[in-house]
Amino acid sequence: MELRIGSLLLTLFAINIFAYSIPPLSGFLPAIRTSFIQKPLRETLDDWIEREERIALDKLLANVKPGGRNVEGNGKHVADGTVIASPSTESPNYYYQWVRDAAITTNTLVDLYADDPSSKLSSSLSTVLDAYATLQTKIQRTSNPSGSFDDLQGLGEPKFQVDGTPFTGSWGRPQRDGPALRAITLINYLRAYNASHPSIWESGEADDIFDTLYEASMPARSVIKADLEYVSHFWNASGFDLWEEVDGLHFFTAAVQLKALREGTQIARAFGDDGAAHWYNEQATYLERFVRRFWNKKKGHLVETLWSHRTGLDCGLLLGSLHSYPSETVDYDPVFPPYSDETLISLLALVQDQRERFPINLQPYDDAPFEGESIFGGVGLGRYPEDVYDGYGTSERGGNPWFLCTSSAAEVLYRTASRLTETSSLTITPLGLPFYSALLSSSSLAPEEGATYGPSDAIFHSIVEKLKLVGDEFLEVVKTHVDGEGSMSEQFDQVTGYMRGATDLTWSYGAFLQAVGARKYLDEAW
């Protein structure tokens, strides 16, 4: 059956500011040095998730133009389609649009759009998504310190001003994950839009609309094809990591680049761009072999950066696994999906490190729903063990847990449970045994190496249940450290638990929404 690819509606009329369901919430609990521990909200996790999901979406959309209250208004000069990292303009200043962060956030909005394209929310989201695509086309063509559009080097520029002009200050550049993530997001929206507007192919307007998104001619002039050309030619070149600190070759970058090329191969074929499809597929084959090099057998876990002096444990491993997972419409085997032994054993190692590293992780929660000690449970996760950024600058005591990392751990576990539910099978390998043993450490059941379990085995059900329970523990940590209005900053203090760093971090809300979406999917599949 011929694959039909839908279109983005290029909005040519004036955009009205639209309202969202949650009214503006004022106030932010400042990060202060205090001896008091922030107390958890007195609310069940299910009730809190239902409430916080609405708040998180509202606060995420507040950072997106058109419509967002943090970016609308006279004098702000924010371009339509902009996704700011945070409304914080000083200490720290995150009032920019990062290509990576914007793409990840927008892909979350695409998923929400695809859930119910005919809803009032999706109508508003469609306007946002169209504006995002239009702005990214402009940004691609804007010369910047990384280069220009003509040589494609400019696509590696990590961040821009809110009006779409280049940021010209000193920065860690290039960053090569942005083009891959942008291509993934726009491909995802093409598919989602096509599913709800199949008649576009009979309207005679498809070719005109698609030209700005994917067009087969070279040199590349369409936004998706330009990104795919960049990824396919520069995937083996060094760049800065997603934390913008280390120049090298990184797992997160390589993982999302691989997904972009696999998905891009299918899109190129759908548009009759067979030569490009062959090239993208060939490069993806090479890149897949390269991604496997991030498994460090000696350390017993994945590493974020090759040949680094760091341990390699990093929240980027979780994020790379999640954001590189294949779309449902593309048939290929991911290298390190969330449910892989390599990802899970790396999560276990990171959790064990962070549990001991941050004092807040040793504090008992008054409403902790689980009894018994486990060597694997929900904690606040930071970026990586060697982190020294505390939300405002460097600190001798080290970094702090991040909301987005903590939520992402929950998502990994929910998606693993969903995978087991769908396949009805789990084989305990020598590599995976430590993870599943830790998972069931408080249970009377113990996994056996080499055994294969299914729905007829009590231990299989215990594993699935425990995966969800520990995923819930991570969200319980998030629940504990948001403020009374549901706001999420970038970090929460490793000692006091109060929020630190950039206020209302867009990615914090997006990661939470992705985790909640994975939890809902599990509930439906289970």
Side-chain angles (χ1 to χ4, degrees), residues 347-478:
L347 171 60
L348 174 62
L350 181 61
V351 166
Q352 290 175 334
D353 174 275
Q354 303 285 277
R355 178 186 295 279
E356 300 298 325
R357 188 170 299 277
F358 298 138
I360 193 65
N361 285 334
L362 301 177
Q363 293 289 339
Y365 300 136
D366 290 348
D367 59 352
F370 311 112
E371 296 180 357
E373 289 295 324
S374 172
I375 62 172
F376 180 70
V379 298
L381 292 186
R383 298 190 298 176
Y384 52 90
E386 301 85 356
D387 196 5
V388 295
Y389 177 60
D390 68 359
Y392 306 106
T394 58
S395 171
E396 291 183 357
R397 71 173 187 170
N400 299 294
W402 284 45
F403 283 104
L404 73 90
C405 294
T406 307
S407 292
S408 295
E411 184 180 355
V412 166
L413 297 177
Y414 295 145
R415 295 201 179 280
T416 300
S418 293
R419 174 71 176 184
L420 297 183
T421 300
E422 292 168 347
T423 60
S424 299
S425 178
L426 170 63
T427 298
I428 305 298
T429 68
L431 179 59
L433 179 61
F435 171 80
Y436 289 104
S437 296
L439 182 71
L440 296 179
S441 61
S442 60
S443 169
S444 60
L445 300 174
E448 296 182 5
E449 181 178 325
T452 297
Y453 302 113
S456 61
D457 300 302
I459 192 172
F460 180 85
H461 294 281
S462 294
I463 288 173
V464 173
E465 291 172 359
K466 190 64 175 179
L467 285 167
K468 184 183 180 183
L469 288 175
V470 178
D472 283 355
E473 287 184 11
F474 281 101
L475 290 191
E476 192 76 42
V477 173
V478 174

Side-chain angles (χ1 to χ4, degrees), residues 14-18 66-67:
I15 300 175
N16 295 321
I17 299 175
F18 44 88

